[in-house]
Amino acid sequence: MGLAKELRELGAEAVVAAPPDEEFVTLLERAGVPLVPLGPTVHSVVAGPKPPTGEDALKLAPALVAARFETLSAAAEDCDVILATGLLPAGARDVAEKRGIPYVYACFHIFGLPSRHFAPGLRPGTPSPEGETDNRVLWQQDAQRVNALYGGALDEHRAAIGLPPVDNVRDHVFTGSPWLAADPVLCPSEGMTDLDIVQTGAWIQPDDRPLPDDLEKFLEAGEPPVYVGFGSMAAYAPKDIARVAIEALRTLGRRILLARGWAGLASIDDADDCFVVGEVNQQALFRRVAAVVHHGGAGTTTTASRAGAPQVVVPRIADQPYWASRVAELGIGVAHQDPTPTVESLSAALTTVLSPETRSRAKAVADTIRTDGAAVAAKLLVETAKA
Protein backbone atom coordinates (compact mmCIF):
# COMPACT_ATOMS: atom_id res chain seq x y z
CA MET A 1 0.00 0.00 0.00
CA GLY A 2 2.74 2.43 0.96
CA LEU A 3 4.68 1.83 -2.24
CA ALA A 4 1.56 1.95 -4.41
CA LYS A 5 0.55 5.29 -2.90
CA GLU A 6 3.97 6.81 -3.60
CA LEU A 7 3.95 5.46 -7.16
CA ARG A 8 0.65 7.22 -7.79
CA GLU A 9 2.13 10.43 -6.41
CA LEU A 10 4.69 10.13 -9.22
CA GLY A 11 1.98 9.62 -11.83
CA ALA A 12 2.45 5.87 -12.19
CA GLU A 13 -0.20 3.20 -11.94
CA ALA A 14 0.18 0.31 -9.50
CA VAL A 15 -1.56 -3.05 -9.35
CA VAL A 16 -1.04 -5.42 -6.40
CA ALA A 17 -1.22 -9.18 -6.92
CA ALA A 18 -1.63 -10.76 -3.48
CA PRO A 19 -3.45 -13.53 -1.62
CA PRO A 20 -7.16 -12.65 -1.40
CA ASP A 21 -7.38 -12.60 2.41
CA GLU A 22 -10.19 -10.40 3.69
CA GLU A 23 -7.69 -8.21 5.54
CA PHE A 24 -5.67 -7.55 2.38
CA VAL A 25 -8.77 -6.85 0.33
CA THR A 26 -9.98 -4.31 2.91
CA LEU A 27 -6.61 -2.58 3.14
CA LEU A 28 -6.23 -2.22 -0.62
CA GLU A 29 -9.81 -1.05 -1.07
CA ARG A 30 -9.17 1.63 1.54
CA ALA A 31 -6.14 2.79 -0.43
CA GLY A 32 -7.95 2.57 -3.78
CA VAL A 33 -5.35 0.14 -5.14
CA PRO A 34 -6.54 -2.61 -7.53
CA LEU A 35 -6.06 -6.15 -6.20
CA VAL A 36 -5.44 -9.15 -8.42
CA PRO A 37 -6.07 -12.32 -6.36
CA LEU A 38 -2.96 -14.52 -6.37
CA GLY A 39 -2.97 -18.05 -4.99
CA PRO A 40 -4.77 -19.26 -1.86
CA THR A 41 -5.38 -17.05 1.16
CA VAL A 42 -2.55 -16.93 3.67
CA HIS A 43 -5.08 -17.71 6.39
CA SER A 44 -6.00 -21.02 4.76
CA VAL A 45 -2.32 -22.04 4.78
CA VAL A 46 -1.22 -21.01 8.27
CA ALA A 47 -4.37 -20.92 10.41
CA GLY A 48 -5.05 -24.62 10.82
CA PRO A 49 -4.95 -26.35 14.20
CA LYS A 50 -1.27 -27.17 13.60
CA PRO A 51 1.50 -25.33 11.71
CA PRO A 52 2.08 -26.44 8.10
CA THR A 53 4.41 -29.43 7.73
CA GLY A 54 7.29 -29.98 5.34
CA GLU A 55 5.01 -32.24 3.31
CA ASP A 56 2.49 -29.39 3.07
CA ALA A 57 5.25 -27.11 1.76
CA LEU A 58 6.30 -29.62 -0.90
CA LYS A 59 2.71 -29.60 -2.20
CA LEU A 60 2.19 -25.86 -1.91
CA ALA A 61 5.41 -24.71 -3.61
CA PRO A 62 4.64 -25.97 -7.15
CA ALA A 63 1.04 -24.75 -6.83
CA LEU A 64 2.30 -21.25 -6.01
CA VAL A 65 4.67 -21.32 -8.99
CA ALA A 66 1.77 -22.27 -11.28
CA ALA A 67 -0.43 -19.53 -9.80
CA ARG A 68 2.23 -16.89 -10.39
CA PHE A 69 2.77 -17.87 -14.02
CA GLU A 70 -0.97 -17.85 -14.69
CA THR A 71 -1.96 -14.78 -12.70
CA LEU A 72 1.03 -12.54 -13.33
CA SER A 73 1.14 -13.27 -17.05
CA ALA A 74 -2.30 -11.67 -17.33
CA ALA A 75 -1.86 -8.98 -14.68
CA ALA A 76 1.44 -7.75 -16.15
CA GLU A 77 0.18 -7.52 -19.71
CA ASP A 78 0.36 -3.72 -19.81
CA CYS A 79 2.99 -3.25 -17.10
CA ASP A 80 6.48 -1.79 -17.45
CA VAL A 81 8.10 -3.51 -14.45
CA ILE A 82 7.36 -6.33 -11.99
CA LEU A 83 8.40 -6.04 -8.36
CA ALA A 84 8.04 -9.21 -6.28
CA THR A 85 8.21 -9.73 -2.53
CA GLY A 86 7.71 -12.70 -0.25
CA LEU A 87 9.76 -15.59 1.04
CA LEU A 88 10.53 -16.94 -2.44
CA PRO A 89 8.25 -15.68 -5.25
CA ALA A 90 9.45 -18.13 -7.91
CA GLY A 91 7.70 -17.40 -11.20
CA ALA A 92 7.55 -13.61 -11.08
CA ARG A 93 10.97 -12.99 -12.65
CA ASP A 94 10.17 -15.50 -15.36
CA VAL A 95 6.99 -13.68 -16.39
CA ALA A 96 9.00 -10.45 -16.57
CA GLU A 97 11.68 -12.21 -18.63
CA LYS A 98 9.11 -13.50 -21.12
CA ARG A 99 7.54 -10.05 -21.43
CA GLY A 100 10.93 -8.35 -21.75
CA ILE A 101 10.38 -5.97 -18.83
CA PRO A 102 12.54 -5.30 -15.74
CA TYR A 103 12.16 -7.38 -12.59
CA VAL A 104 12.97 -6.37 -9.00
CA TYR A 105 13.01 -8.59 -5.93
CA ALA A 106 12.41 -6.75 -2.65
CA CYS A 107 12.72 -8.26 0.82
CA PHE A 108 11.78 -6.94 4.25
CA HIS A 109 14.83 -8.29 6.10
CA ILE A 110 18.30 -9.70 5.36
CA PHE A 111 17.71 -13.01 7.14
CA GLY A 112 16.88 -14.90 3.94
CA LEU A 113 19.81 -13.58 1.87
CA PRO A 114 22.98 -15.71 1.56
CA SER A 115 25.63 -14.51 3.99
CA ARG A 116 29.01 -15.42 5.43
CA HIS A 117 27.88 -14.03 8.79
CA PHE A 118 24.88 -16.19 9.60
CA ALA A 119 23.40 -19.55 8.66
CA PRO A 120 20.19 -19.97 6.65
CA GLY A 121 16.90 -20.49 8.42
CA LEU A 122 15.00 -23.74 8.45
CA ARG A 123 13.49 -24.87 5.17
CA PRO A 124 11.63 -28.06 4.22
CA GLY A 125 13.80 -30.72 2.64
CA THR A 126 16.98 -32.64 3.42
CA PRO A 127 18.61 -31.05 6.47
CA SER A 128 22.28 -30.10 6.56
CA PRO A 129 24.60 -32.62 8.27
CA GLU A 130 24.96 -32.20 12.01
CA GLY A 131 28.14 -30.39 12.91
CA GLU A 132 28.38 -28.40 9.66
CA THR A 133 29.32 -24.84 10.63
CA ASP A 134 30.66 -23.32 7.41
CA ASN A 135 28.03 -20.76 6.44
CA ARG A 136 28.97 -20.86 2.77
CA VAL A 137 28.38 -24.62 2.71
CA LEU A 138 25.13 -24.24 4.61
CA TRP A 139 23.86 -21.68 2.11
CA GLN A 140 24.81 -23.97 -0.80
CA GLN A 141 22.73 -26.68 0.82
CA ASP A 142 19.91 -24.18 1.31
CA ALA A 143 19.97 -23.52 -2.45
CA GLN A 144 19.62 -27.25 -3.04
CA ARG A 145 16.54 -27.36 -0.81
CA VAL A 146 15.03 -24.45 -2.74
CA ASN A 147 15.66 -26.28 -6.01
CA ALA A 148 13.92 -29.36 -4.61
CA LEU A 149 10.90 -27.27 -3.60
CA TYR A 150 10.50 -25.08 -6.68
CA GLY A 151 12.90 -26.21 -9.42
CA GLY A 152 10.79 -28.83 -11.18
CA ALA A 153 7.68 -26.67 -11.39
CA LEU A 154 9.63 -23.56 -12.37
CA ASP A 155 11.48 -25.27 -15.23
CA GLU A 156 8.28 -26.93 -16.44
CA HIS A 157 6.48 -23.58 -16.71
CA ARG A 158 9.53 -21.84 -18.18
CA ALA A 159 9.74 -24.52 -20.89
CA ALA A 160 6.06 -24.02 -21.67
CA ILE A 161 6.75 -20.36 -22.58
CA GLY A 162 10.02 -21.05 -24.39
CA LEU A 163 12.52 -20.22 -21.62
CA PRO A 164 15.54 -22.35 -20.63
CA PRO A 165 15.84 -24.07 -17.23
CA VAL A 166 17.31 -22.38 -14.13
CA ASP A 167 20.22 -23.91 -12.24
CA ASN A 168 19.82 -22.04 -8.94
CA VAL A 169 16.22 -21.03 -8.24
CA ARG A 170 16.97 -19.08 -5.06
CA ASP A 171 19.64 -16.86 -6.59
CA HIS A 172 17.55 -16.50 -9.75
CA VAL A 173 14.64 -15.13 -7.69
CA PHE A 174 16.77 -12.88 -5.47
CA THR A 175 18.92 -11.49 -8.33
CA GLY A 176 22.31 -9.96 -7.61
CA SER A 177 20.80 -6.66 -6.43
CA PRO A 178 17.78 -7.23 -4.21
CA TRP A 179 16.04 -4.25 -2.65
CA LEU A 180 15.80 -4.16 1.12
CA ALA A 181 12.62 -2.49 2.38
CA ALA A 182 13.80 -2.17 5.98
CA ASP A 183 15.04 0.68 8.13
CA PRO A 184 18.87 0.87 8.23
CA VAL A 185 18.93 1.39 12.01
CA LEU A 186 16.73 -1.63 12.69
CA CYS A 187 18.22 -3.74 9.91
CA PRO A 188 21.77 -2.68 8.96
CA SER A 189 22.86 -4.37 5.75
CA GLU A 190 26.35 -3.16 4.93
CA GLY A 191 28.74 -6.09 4.71
CA MET A 192 26.07 -8.60 5.72
CA THR A 193 25.89 -10.31 2.33
CA ASP A 194 27.88 -10.47 -0.91
CA LEU A 195 24.82 -9.33 -2.85
CA ASP A 196 24.61 -5.72 -4.00
CA ILE A 197 21.74 -4.66 -1.73
CA VAL A 198 19.74 -1.52 -2.47
CA GLN A 199 18.33 -0.42 0.91
CA THR A 200 15.38 1.93 0.53
CA GLY A 201 14.12 2.07 4.10
CA ALA A 202 10.86 0.53 5.30
CA TRP A 203 7.75 1.02 3.19
CA ILE A 204 5.36 2.73 5.58
CA GLN A 205 1.78 3.55 4.69
CA PRO A 206 0.69 6.48 6.91
CA ASP A 207 -2.48 5.54 8.79
CA ASP A 208 -4.73 8.39 9.91
CA ARG A 209 -7.72 6.31 11.01
CA PRO A 210 -9.07 7.25 14.44
CA LEU A 211 -9.06 4.64 17.17
CA PRO A 212 -12.49 3.11 17.99
CA ASP A 213 -14.49 4.98 20.64
CA ASP A 214 -14.52 2.06 23.08
CA LEU A 215 -10.76 1.70 22.79
CA GLU A 216 -10.32 5.43 23.39
CA LYS A 217 -12.39 5.14 26.58
CA PHE A 218 -10.25 2.26 27.78
CA LEU A 219 -7.03 4.14 27.09
CA GLU A 220 -8.27 7.22 28.91
CA ALA A 221 -9.55 5.26 31.93
CA GLY A 222 -6.14 4.62 33.48
CA GLU A 223 -2.41 4.29 33.01
CA PRO A 224 -1.17 3.26 29.54
CA PRO A 225 -1.74 -0.49 29.04
CA VAL A 226 0.67 -3.06 27.64
CA TYR A 227 -0.26 -4.29 24.16
CA VAL A 228 -0.04 -8.04 23.53
CA GLY A 229 -0.53 -9.36 20.00
CA PHE A 230 0.79 -12.09 17.71
CA GLY A 231 -0.67 -10.89 14.42
CA SER A 232 -1.02 -13.63 11.83
CA MET A 233 0.72 -16.32 13.87
CA ALA A 234 -2.46 -18.39 14.36
CA ALA A 235 -1.18 -21.91 15.11
CA TYR A 236 2.30 -20.54 15.78
CA ALA A 237 1.29 -18.35 18.75
CA PRO A 238 2.65 -19.49 22.15
CA LYS A 239 0.34 -21.81 24.02
CA ASP A 240 -1.91 -20.00 26.53
CA ILE A 241 -0.19 -16.70 25.74
CA ALA A 242 -3.27 -14.63 26.60
CA ARG A 243 -3.54 -16.15 30.06
CA VAL A 244 0.21 -15.96 30.66
CA ALA A 245 0.36 -12.31 29.56
CA ILE A 246 -2.66 -11.28 31.63
CA GLU A 247 -1.35 -12.95 34.78
CA ALA A 248 2.15 -11.53 34.27
CA LEU A 249 0.86 -8.00 33.75
CA ARG A 250 -1.50 -8.19 36.70
CA THR A 251 1.44 -9.26 38.83
CA LEU A 252 3.08 -5.99 37.81
CA GLY A 253 -0.10 -3.97 38.34
CA ARG A 254 -0.46 -3.17 34.65
CA ARG A 255 -3.51 -2.98 32.39
CA ILE A 256 -3.67 -5.21 29.32
CA LEU A 257 -4.61 -4.59 25.70
CA LEU A 258 -5.01 -7.86 23.80
CA ALA A 259 -4.98 -7.94 20.00
CA ARG A 260 -7.24 -10.78 18.89
CA GLY A 261 -5.32 -11.53 15.66
CA TRP A 262 -5.43 -14.83 13.82
CA ALA A 263 -4.55 -16.64 17.06
CA GLY A 264 -7.88 -15.49 18.51
CA LEU A 265 -6.47 -14.08 21.76
CA ALA A 266 -9.23 -13.48 24.31
CA SER A 267 -9.54 -12.29 27.89
CA ILE A 268 -9.71 -14.92 30.65
CA ASP A 269 -12.41 -13.09 32.65
CA ASP A 270 -14.61 -10.00 32.68
CA ALA A 271 -12.26 -7.75 34.66
CA ASP A 272 -12.09 -4.17 33.40
CA ASP A 273 -8.28 -4.08 33.32
CA CYS A 274 -8.21 -6.02 30.04
CA PHE A 275 -9.50 -4.89 26.64
CA VAL A 276 -9.55 -6.95 23.43
CA VAL A 277 -9.14 -5.18 20.09
CA GLY A 278 -9.36 -6.32 16.47
CA GLU A 279 -7.66 -4.76 13.44
CA VAL A 280 -6.65 -1.24 14.46
CA ASN A 281 -4.37 1.67 13.59
CA GLN A 282 -1.18 0.50 15.26
CA GLN A 283 0.68 3.68 14.33
CA ALA A 284 -1.66 5.67 16.55
CA LEU A 285 -2.12 2.99 19.21
CA PHE A 286 1.53 2.18 19.88
CA ARG A 287 2.24 5.79 20.82
CA ARG A 288 -0.20 5.40 23.69
CA VAL A 289 0.84 2.09 25.25
CA ALA A 290 3.45 1.36 27.91
CA ALA A 291 5.02 -1.47 25.90
CA VAL A 292 4.33 -3.89 23.04
CA VAL A 293 4.60 -7.69 23.40
CA HIS A 294 4.64 -9.30 19.96
CA HIS A 295 6.05 -11.99 17.67
CA GLY A 296 8.68 -9.93 15.90
CA GLY A 297 7.17 -9.45 12.46
CA ALA A 298 8.99 -6.87 10.34
CA GLY A 299 5.99 -4.54 10.23
CA THR A 300 5.12 -4.72 13.92
CA THR A 301 8.75 -4.26 14.96
CA THR A 302 9.13 -1.21 12.73
CA THR A 303 5.83 0.34 13.85
CA ALA A 304 6.60 -0.17 17.55
CA SER A 305 10.13 1.18 17.12
CA ARG A 306 8.90 4.22 15.22
CA ALA A 307 6.35 4.89 17.97
CA GLY A 308 9.01 4.74 20.69
CA ALA A 309 7.26 1.86 22.43
CA PRO A 310 9.50 -0.54 24.40
CA GLN A 311 9.13 -4.12 23.17
CA VAL A 312 9.15 -7.72 24.35
CA VAL A 313 9.63 -9.87 21.26
CA VAL A 314 8.71 -13.56 21.45
CA PRO A 315 9.88 -14.82 18.04
CA ARG A 316 8.20 -17.80 16.43
CA ILE A 317 9.43 -18.43 12.87
CA ALA A 318 11.43 -17.14 9.89
CA ASP A 319 12.96 -13.67 10.38
CA GLN A 320 11.39 -13.08 13.81
CA PRO A 321 14.46 -14.19 15.85
CA TYR A 322 16.48 -11.65 13.87
CA TRP A 323 14.14 -8.79 14.77
CA ALA A 324 14.11 -9.93 18.40
CA SER A 325 17.89 -9.81 18.52
CA ARG A 326 17.98 -6.35 16.94
CA VAL A 327 15.48 -5.01 19.49
CA ALA A 328 17.71 -6.33 22.28
CA GLU A 329 20.93 -5.05 20.68
CA LEU A 330 19.47 -1.56 20.31
CA GLY A 331 18.36 -1.55 23.94
CA ILE A 332 14.74 -0.81 23.02
CA GLY A 333 13.36 -4.02 24.45
CA VAL A 334 13.92 -7.66 25.34
CA ALA A 335 14.25 -10.76 23.17
CA HIS A 336 12.32 -13.59 24.83
CA GLN A 337 13.97 -16.35 22.84
CA ASP A 338 12.24 -19.16 24.76
CA PRO A 339 9.23 -19.84 22.49
CA THR A 340 6.97 -20.66 25.45
CA PRO A 341 6.81 -17.76 27.92
CA THR A 342 5.79 -18.43 31.49
CA VAL A 343 4.24 -15.94 33.89
CA GLU A 344 7.63 -15.65 35.60
CA SER A 345 9.72 -15.25 32.45
CA LEU A 346 7.36 -12.75 30.87
CA SER A 347 7.13 -10.77 34.13
CA ALA A 348 10.93 -10.55 34.21
CA ALA A 349 11.11 -9.38 30.59
CA LEU A 350 8.38 -6.80 31.18
CA THR A 351 10.11 -5.48 34.29
CA THR A 352 13.13 -4.64 32.14
CA VAL A 353 11.06 -3.23 29.30
CA LEU A 354 8.92 -1.03 31.55
CA SER A 355 11.94 0.61 33.16
CA PRO A 356 12.57 4.33 32.53
CA GLU A 357 15.91 3.45 30.93
CA THR A 358 14.36 1.24 28.24
CA ARG A 359 11.61 3.74 27.52
CA SER A 360 14.15 6.55 27.19
CA ARG A 361 16.25 4.47 24.79
CA ALA A 362 13.16 3.52 22.76
CA LYS A 363 12.22 7.18 22.41
CA ALA A 364 15.73 8.06 21.27
CA VAL A 365 15.82 5.32 18.62
CA ALA A 366 12.34 6.31 17.39
CA ASP A 367 13.74 9.65 16.28
CA THR A 368 16.21 7.88 13.96
CA ILE A 369 13.69 5.71 12.07
CA ARG A 370 13.28 6.86 8.48
CA THR A 371 9.81 7.40 7.06
CA ASP A 372 10.67 7.97 3.38
CA GLY A 373 11.39 4.37 2.35
CA ALA A 374 8.30 3.95 0.17
CA ALA A 375 9.00 7.25 -1.61
CA VAL A 376 12.61 6.24 -2.24
CA ALA A 377 11.52 2.86 -3.62
CA ALA A 378 8.80 4.39 -5.81
CA LYS A 379 11.27 6.78 -7.44
CA LEU A 380 13.73 3.94 -8.06
CA LEU A 381 11.00 1.75 -9.50
CA VAL A 382 9.84 4.43 -11.92
CA GLU A 383 13.44 4.98 -13.01
CA THR A 384 13.86 1.22 -13.47
CA ALA A 385 10.75 1.06 -15.63
CA LYS A 386 12.03 3.88 -17.83
CA ALA A 387 15.56 2.49 -18.19
Side-chain angles (χ1 to χ4, degrees), residues 290-292 309-312 332-334 348-356 358-359:
V292 176
Q311 305 170 58
V312 176
I332 60 176
V334 170
L350 284 162
T351 298
T352 298
V353 162
L354 293 169
S355 68
T358 304
R359 174 158 288 278

Side-chain angles (χ1 to χ4, degrees), residues 223-275:
E223 292 296 315
V226 171
Y227 173 99
V228 180
F230 283 79
S232 61
M233 286 299 92
Y236 291 101
K239 184 179 180 181
D240 296 330
I241 186 60
R243 177 190 61 79
V244 169
I246 290 170
E247 292 183 7
L249 287 163
R250 284 176 175 168
T251 298
L252 300 175
R254 293 285 180 162
R255 300 196 305 152
I256 309 103
L257 184 59
L258 283 180
R260 187 176 299 109
W262 284 1
L265 302 190
S267 183
I268 59 176
D269 54 36
D270 295 328
D272 61 6
D273 65 343
C274 181
F275 186 90

Side-chain angles (χ1 to χ4, degrees), residues 114-209:
S115 173
R116 292 167 291 171
H117 302 287
F118 52 82
L122 297 176
R123 200 187 298 275
T126 304
S128 296
E130 289 188 22
E132 180 59 72
T133 59
D134 187 323
N135 285 335
R136 289 190 180 277
V137 173
L138 292 172
W139 280 104
Q140 289 170 0
Q141 293 165 349
D142 175 74
Q144 294 168 6
R145 286 188 285 273
V146 173
N147 282 347
L149 278 167
Y150 298 96
L154 186 69
D155 285 345
E156 177 184 342
H157 286 280
R158 283 177 61 87
I161 58 175
L163 296 177
V166 171
D167 292 332
N168 186 319
V169 175
R170 185 197 65 201
D171 293 356
H172 170 75
V173 170
F174 288 171
T175 78
S177 300
W179 292 11
L180 177 58
D183 184 80
V185 170
L186 297 176
C187 185
S189 62
E190 188 171 354
M192 294 304 294
T193 172
D194 292 336
L195 299 178
D196 185 18
I197 291 178
V198 178
Q199 186 158 14
T200 64
W203 299 348
I204 297 171
Q205 162 68 5
D207 194 341
D208 58 1
R209 292 175 297 162

